[in-house]
């Protein structure tokens, strides 16, 4: 019986040694699955924030106060915590400034302004504010940084294999911004170059590993940038 156990142990060790090179080889490829990963509470939180801010952008352009109310409620429903890693700024641009976080309170205030004195809409805004539900949807990590013109802001995150990595980036000025995400091997796995105020990316990692998220300021002027991720 002792001999059998030793043989089994040796077989397990051999199997482990054979498996290790295979895992290492897998990680040399692109860490991006074609299969959609199931959403988690934290990825849903980032989705909600990004959609809320996109709706706010639409409401602002369309001067739609009721749409702004919905956007404010979506933003208010998500709990966020501030990221501790401020990342790295690289490029030729210089200068400093501040980055402002657009809150649900800001959006409710915008909704009142868009109401243009309409008593019914103002009442709807106040009713929505009274029903705030902070923290209902998951949780997101929010990192805020001032990004000078002609520079790239890079923040690194570790994502779990089989779970989605969701990233939203929002600028607070009119300067053109791009969003790119690279895996640990330098492969571009997602980008949003739409030029919208709010940019969005979703990645489905195969294995647990680091990713580099880049907010690229293509303009000549700096801007505040808020990055949210799970």
């Amino acid at each position: 019986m002792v001999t059998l156990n030793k043989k089994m142990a040796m077989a397990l060790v051999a199997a482990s040694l054979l498996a290790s090179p295979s895992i290492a080889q897998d990680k040399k490829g692109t860490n991006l699955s074609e299969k959609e990963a199931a959403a988690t509470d934290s990825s849903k939180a980032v989705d909600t924030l990004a959609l809320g801010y996109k709706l706010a952008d639409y409401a602002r352009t369309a001067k739609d106060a009721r749409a702004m109310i919905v956007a404010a409620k979506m933003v208010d429903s998500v709990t966020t915590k501030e990221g501790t890693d401020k990342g790295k700024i690289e490029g030729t641009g210089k200068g400093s400034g501040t980055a402002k976080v657009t809150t649900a309170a800001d959006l409710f205030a915008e909704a009142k302004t868009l109401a243009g004195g309409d008593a019914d809409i103002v009442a709807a805004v106040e009713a929505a504010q009274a029903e705030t539900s902070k923290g209902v949807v998951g949780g997101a990590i929010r990192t805020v940084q001032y990004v000078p013109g002609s520079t790239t802001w890079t923040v690194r995150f570790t994502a779990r294999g089989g779970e989605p990595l969701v990233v939203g980036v929002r600028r607070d000025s009119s300067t053109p911004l791009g969003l790119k995400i690279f895996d640990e091997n330098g492969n571009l796995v997602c980008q949003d170059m739409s030029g919208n105020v709010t940019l969005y990316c979703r990645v489905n990692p195969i294995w647990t590993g680091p990713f580099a998220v880049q907010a690229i300021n293509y303009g000549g002027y700096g801007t505040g940038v808020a990055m949210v991720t799970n």
Side-chain angles (χ1 to χ4, degrees), residues 3-193:
T3 303
L4 180 61
N5 284 342
K6 284 183 177 179
K7 287 182 178 179
M8 290 177 65
M10 290 175 67
L12 288 172
V13 171
S16 175
L17 291 173
L18 287 172
S20 297
S22 176
I23 293 174
Q25 186 176 7
D26 287 345
K27 288 191 176 184
K28 290 181 181 178
T30 301
N31 192 3
L32 179 65
S33 175
E34 295 180 359
K35 184 179 179 181
E36 188 81 1
T40 62
D41 286 343
S42 58
S43 73
K44 289 177 184 177
V46 180
D47 277 330
T48 300
L49 267 181
L51 184 57
Y53 282 127
K54 284 187 176 184
L55 181 57
D57 298 337
Y58 160 79
R60 192 174 297 114
T61 300
K63 302 187 185 306
D64 188 332
R66 294 191 183 278
M68 188 65 80
I69 293 173
V70 176
K73 290 177 70 174
M74 292 177 71
V75 172
D76 182 73
S77 72
V78 178
T79 297
T80 59
K81 65 178 181 179
E82 297 306 314
T84 56
D85 183 358
K86 293 296 184 179
K88 187 177 182 180
I89 299 289
E90 297 176 294
T92 59
K94 299 186 182 299
S96 60
T98 58
K100 181 182 182 300
V101 175
T102 301
T103 65
D106 295 328
L107 299 182
F108 279 126
E110 279 197 65
K112 279 189 176 182
T113 300
L114 291 173
D118 186 313
D120 289 338
I121 297 179
V122 171
V125 174
E126 292 175 348
Q129 283 183 292
E131 297 172 357
T132 54
S133 53
K134 198 72 174 176
V136 171
V137 182
I141 300 171
R142 179 177 59 204
T143 308
V144 180
Q145 180 70 276
Y146 179 80
V147 183
S150 303
T151 64
T152 297
W153 174 34
T154 303
V155 183
R156 299 184 183 279
F157 298 96
T158 296
R160 291 179 177 274
E163 295 183 8
L165 169 64
V166 182
V167 178
V169 166
R170 180 179 176 80
R171 55 180 165 83
D172 60 21
S173 74
S174 60
T175 192
L177 208 67
L179 168 62
K180 293 185 178 183
I181 301 179
F182 298 87
D183 69 8
E184 64 193 276
N185 299 315
N187 299 302
L188 178 64
V189 293
C190 186
Q191 65 178 345
D192 184 346
M193 307 299 287

